[in-house]
Amino acid sequence: MISPSKRINEIKQTLPDGVRLVAVSKYHPASMIQEAYDGGQRIFGESHVQELVAKYEVLPKDIEWHFIGHLQTNKVKYIAPFVSLIHAVDSEHLIKEIDKQAKRCGRTIPILLEVHVAKEETKYGFTPDELLAFMESGAWQQYTNVSFNGLMCMATNTDPLLPPPFGESLIASEFEQVRELFSTLSSKLPSFSIKSWGMSNDYPIAVAHGSNMVRIGSLIFGERVY
Ligand SMILES: *Cc1c(COP(=O)(O)O)cnc(C)c1O
């Protein structure tokens, strides 16, 4: 039997102070989340709206739920009342909807903007140029019920042990690109503080390249059964 709380403690010992751990619990049962919770973990990440809502309803109310997957605009309303942070915000259309639903709930929803840097076509997100243009236009200021808290990205899915130009050198260069973008944007936006990058296979590289929030699933809960 896997003990998520034991794994979490082992991972936490490898993380420098100031790096927060999101335990990615998607596809794993509420009982495993409860075990991790009982060991002290409070931040959990989910990537499907229905699954998140179902878990929110049965688990302790002081859990900080992060939505980390691709979010469809028509589903924002289901998580708006309680979500603590939305990581992968990838269009202005989505920002607008989050703002609207946050207003209806009488709250401000913290979000991260997703940056597309990976070599894969399938990854979502703003390109660095789109993001610079959006932030420099000041258009973001009209969304008064959204708090722009930082950036999120996913590196190319490559085995870190492969030699350059793949592997660790590719992953590191992608994280470094987002780190630079973060530093440009944060000089103008005081609310920018979160750098969400790093998963089970690449989080040590992410931390070495500026991450202060890692999203780790399989290393904590085991392989997912879809
Ligand atoms: C599933 C997922 C993770 C966790 O992946 P692992 O490889 O299991 O650590 C992190 N971030 C996002 C956006 C995910 O969808």
Side-chain angles (χ1 to χ4, degrees), residues 2 70 76 106 137 144 187 192 196-197:
I2 288 175
H70 177 66
V76 174
S137 74
T144 50
S187 63
F192 252 49
S196 167
W197 47 92

Side-chain angles (χ1 to χ4, degrees), residues 156-173:
T156 298
N157 187 11
T158 172
D159 180 347
L161 297 175
L162 287 174
F166 306 104
E168 177 161 355
S169 68
L170 176 61
I171 297 170
S173 73

Side-chain angles (χ1 to χ4, degrees), residues 107-132:
R107 61 182 299 233
T108 297
I109 299 182
I111 67 163
L112 305 179
L113 299 164
E114 180 174 10
V115 189
H116 177 105
V117 282
K119 297 286 176 280
E120 290 128 39
E121 293 290 327
T122 54
K123 299 253 157 84
Y124 296 101
F126 294 93
T127 65
D129 284 346
E130 283 168 347
L131 209 52
L132 279 172

